[in-house]
Amino acid sequence: MPSFFQSLGLFGLVWAGILLYNIISVLLCFLSKKCQTPERDGSAVPTQWKRSPEELHKTYIANTEAFYRAAGRGLTEEMDKFCSDCALQLFARSASLGQEHVDALNALYSKGQPKPDWLLWALSTAVGESGEFLPPLFFWSLTERDARQGTDCSRIFVRMLTNILLCLAAVDDDVTYAEAEYITECGDKLTALCDSAGVRPGKPSLKAKDFVTSGEQSFMEKNPPVAAAAPQGAGATAARTAPETAGETEAEKPDLDQLLAELDSLVGLEAVKKDIKSMMNLIKVRKLRQEAELPVAPMSLHMVFTGNPGTGKTTVARLVGGLYAAIGALSKGQLVEVDRSGLVAGYVGQTAIKTQEVITSALGGVLFIDEAYSLASGGENDFGREAIETLLKAMEDHRDDLVVIVAGYTDLMERFLSSNPGLESRFNKYIQFPDYNGQELNAIFHSLCEKNGYKLDEEGESFSQEYFDSLYQGRDENFGNGRDVRNQFEDMILRQANRLAAMESPTKEDLALLTKADFLPAPEA
């Protein structure tokens, strides 16, 4: 993978070509007089920005691939999700929804990513539930890097997004004023972040309002959400509860039994499982007391997970979100995982905004902060302090629908919590994740084999326990627990592949079999 500086020259050339293409399209549009403002009767004028699904996909690939060359392909999943969310918000401002919008949304996927499979009914529902525009988290990092290195990739990103959204707005051969306003709002918010970070000036984006073809009302204006009238009479109770029972919230409610079974299936961690179930029982009894109109003491659901890497902290945090949602303690149950880089910005005043964006995305679920002690590792002027203060306020303001779990090494987490009196008062539940012993490491390994269709021969089976006992007994400060087991499993798959490559026609049994020789590098084996 070339470095950012090495790829910048090619990046600039590709973007120059894309911008030249867009400029030519605009000139042709004006020369053909097809991008005029609407007539007084409100009729729509066709726009040259319309693309077929295939053309739209090519446009999306051309724009995003140039961005990935500079920012890295690790952003593909986030980029596709972000652009799809923007499309839903944009379509809410369209005059109507049709199959062309479905086809357009299904065209938004990067190379190597799965193609979406939206249907019209699902699109209509999602459009009705779409929120407001929020800058993606990776854009903050992009502006910070631009400011440090004197580049302007974040401003190019703004122009790229404007181009994509204009093409999306025109899929029905009509760009409404509301769509243009939304595109302008997106560009303004992103540009403001560039300005505040000190990114060098760049070329302005296209003005979306120059491409308006009609002043027709938007889809949401024509189809506002209708609140059901309160029913009367004997059937009132049943009628009021029916929408909730059949609605999306109930349909998406996590399955309690399935999540408990998944928790119980985790290798080891018996004390951890007991603590989580005790917390759930406490929540259930607290709700029963509330329903019985009995007094309940204030309760904090925020937790501290301590232990070494690879001990299952993230996995348990995800299950906590689902379990708490299943018993009604949280409204959604999603897990949002971040570390210091996801909360702290590089300039005064930006960290609070960046942290608040993360908190907003976690409302209704669990915010999991890994290596949380790094937030307090700097001096008095470190921006991590600003993130902590923002976090503490949100934990108090949203204590009924947000669980914050901070995680890290035991000693470092103790120093972190003692660094701020507010942290100690809000985190009153500590759960220790012990290292896996040799037997548990072996069980994790066999679980990986089973899930991936592998099995050990007799000699490998007897050697397996010996190997993981030795791995546990020889552990040091770099011991990775479950991560080391996964790394060992992946190494064994590679060694097996090298071994089978020397066979003329390996059988199905050969392809599924791991041996003692696969445990160790060839010279040692």
Side-chain angles (χ1 to χ4, degrees):
M1 175 68 70
S3 69
F4 177 75
F5 286 107
Q6 289 173 330
S7 62
L8 190 59
L10 177 61
F11 178 68
L13 288 174
V14 173
W15 266 107
I18 293 173
L19 291 175
L20 180 60
Y21 170 78
N22 287 325
I23 290 171
I24 292 174
S25 296
V26 174
L27 289 175
L28 290 173
C29 188
F30 276 105
L31 289 174
S32 60
K33 297 182 179 180
K34 290 185 177 180
C35 282
Q36 301 171 359
T37 54
E39 301 295 335
R40 292 186 178 181
D41 63 359
S43 59
V45 181
T47 169
Q48 288 290 337
W49 280 91
K50 184 174 181 179
R51 304 283 190 275
S52 68
E54 295 75 20
E55 292 172 330
L56 181 58
H57 179 61
K58 290 179 181 178
T59 300
Y60 184 75
I61 292 296
N63 280 271
T64 55
E65 281 298 312
F67 174 69
Y68 297 147
R69 290 189 183 96
R73 295 200 63 84
L75 293 174
T76 52
E77 186 175 352
E78 292 179 78
M79 172 70 81
D80 290 349
K81 175 68 167 59
F82 168 69
C83 288
S84 294
D85 289 344
C86 288
L88 293 173
Q89 296 164 16
L90 178 70
F91 291 163
R93 293 151 175 86
S94 177
S96 60
L97 292 180
Q99 186 60 40
E100 61 271 19
H101 295 90
V102 178
D103 295 338
L105 194 57
N106 286 331
L108 301 184
Y109 61 98
S110 302
K111 291 181 179 177
Q113 292 297 308
K115 182 178 180 179
D117 54 356
W118 286 86
L119 298 174
L120 184 56
W121 66 267
L123 173 65
S124 301
T125 302
V127 165
E129 297 172 348
S130 61
E132 297 301 317
F133 176 81
L134 291 175
L137 292 179
F138 64 78
F139 188 78
W140 297 86
S141 301
L142 193 63
T143 58
E144 292 167 13
R145 186 171 65 178
D146 281 345
R148 288 195 309 268
Q149 299 179 352
T151 52
D152 65 347
C153 288
S154 52
R155 295 198 187 274
I156 294 175
F157 178 88
V158 180
R159 300 199 293 273
M160 173 199 75
L161 182 65
T162 301
N163 294 343
I164 292 173
L165 292 180
L166 274 170
C167 291
L168 288 171
V171 296
D172 55 357
D173 217 10
D174 180 24
V175 179
T176 68
Y177 188 79
E179 287 176 313
E181 277 191 320
Y182 172 78
I183 297 171
T184 302
E185 176 193 357
C186 297
D188 288 347
K189 285 185 176 180
L190 295 175
T191 299
L193 291 179
C194 295
D195 293 341
S196 63
V199 180
R200 75 184 190 189
K203 296 178 181 179
S205 303
L206 293 170
K207 294 182 179 180
K209 292 181 181 178
D210 289 344
F211 301 95
V212 173
T213 58
S214 84
E216 196 171 347
Q217 282 186 312
S218 69
F219 174 79
M220 291 303 293
E221 288 173 328
K222 294 177 180 178
N223 303 275
V226 179
Q232 306 294 327
T237 302
R240 278 197 298 269
T241 58
E244 184 179 11
T245 303
E248 182 181 356
T249 301
E250 189 70 21
E252 293 183 355
K253 188 175 182 179
D255 185 278
L256 179 60
D257 293 335
Q258 181 179 345
L259 290 170
L260 284 173
E262 189 174 348
L263 178 67
D264 289 333
S265 70
L266 296 178
V267 174
L269 304 178
E270 298 308 323
V272 173
K273 298 173 188 177
K274 182 178 178 181
D275 283 341
I276 297 300
K277 291 177 181 179
S278 294
M279 288 289 290
M280 291 176 61
N281 290 335
L282 182 60
I283 294 170
K284 290 177 182 178
V285 172
R286 190 172 186 270
K287 289 175 69 68
L288 290 174
R289 287 182 62 88
Q290 287 176 326
E291 292 170 1
E293 298 183 353
L294 293 172
V296 291
M299 179 181 177
S300 172
L301 298 178
H302 310 304
M303 290 181 279
V304 180
F305 286 1
T306 58
N308 292 327
T311 48
K313 295 187 291 294
T314 306
T315 299
V316 172
R318 176 181 60 79
L319 289 172
V320 165
L323 288 167
Y324 280 13
I327 61 176
L330 292 172
S331 60
K332 299 177 183 176
Q334 80 278 17
L335 175 72
V336 176
E337 181 184 0
V338 294
D339 55 14
R340 175 187 168 94
S341 65
L343 299 173
V344 177
Y347 299 91
V348 176
Q350 287 190 347
T351 292
I353 300 174
K354 189 173 184 179
T355 302
Q356 189 58 53
E357 295 279 0
V358 174
I359 292 168
T360 300
S361 68
L363 291 179
V366 172
L367 174 58
F368 181 79
I369 306 175
D370 198 15
E371 299 180 347
Y373 48 78
S374 62
L375 293 173
S377 60
E380 290 298 321
N381 296 323
D382 183 71
F383 294 134
R385 306 278 175 176
E386 187 179 352
I388 292 174
E389 294 299 329
T390 306
L391 189 64
L392 289 173
K393 184 178 185 304
M395 290 168 66
E396 189 63 32
D397 294 345
H398 305 288
R399 62 183 303 159
D400 293 331
D401 203 24
L402 174 68
V403 172
V404 177
I405 299 177
V406 291
Y409 293 102
T410 303
D411 294 342
L412 293 174
M413 289 303 296
E414 289 176 354
R415 290 201 290 270
F416 164 66
L417 293 169
S418 63
S419 69
N420 187 308
L423 290 171
E424 288 185 305
S425 65
R426 286 172 175 80
F427 290 102
N428 55 15
K429 181 60 180 176
Y430 294 71
I431 297 182
Q432 172 67 32
F433 285 70
D435 286 341
Y436 292 111
N437 60 33
Q439 184 176 356
E440 290 167 342
L441 294 172
N442 190 34
I444 294 172
F445 173 73
H446 277 74
S447 175
L448 287 172
C449 289
E450 183 179 350
K451 289 179 181 177
N452 291 277
Y454 290 93
K455 62 181 180 179
L456 293 167
D457 65 5
E458 185 175 348
E459 188 179 19
E461 192 69 58
S462 61
F463 181 73
S464 176
Q465 186 62 64
E466 176 187 338
Y467 177 87
F468 288 109
D469 282 340
S470 175
L471 181 65
Y472 172 71
Q473 293 165 4
R475 71 191 187 282
D476 56 19
E477 65 275 6
N478 297 317
F479 180 53
N481 284 281
R483 297 179 189 176
D484 283 356
V485 177
R486 177 170 289 278
N487 290 339
Q488 172 64 21
F489 174 74
E490 292 174 354
D491 288 344
M492 290 180 67
I493 299 306
L494 180 60
R495 294 182 192 124
Q496 186 222 38
N498 291 333
R499 177 170 56 82
L500 295 180
M503 299 174 62
E504 183 174 349
S505 299
T507 64
K508 181 178 180 180
E509 288 72 20
D510 292 330
L511 295 172
L513 197 65
L514 296 174
T515 70
K516 178 181 177 180
D518 297 324
F519 271 96
L520 301 171
E524 299 180 33

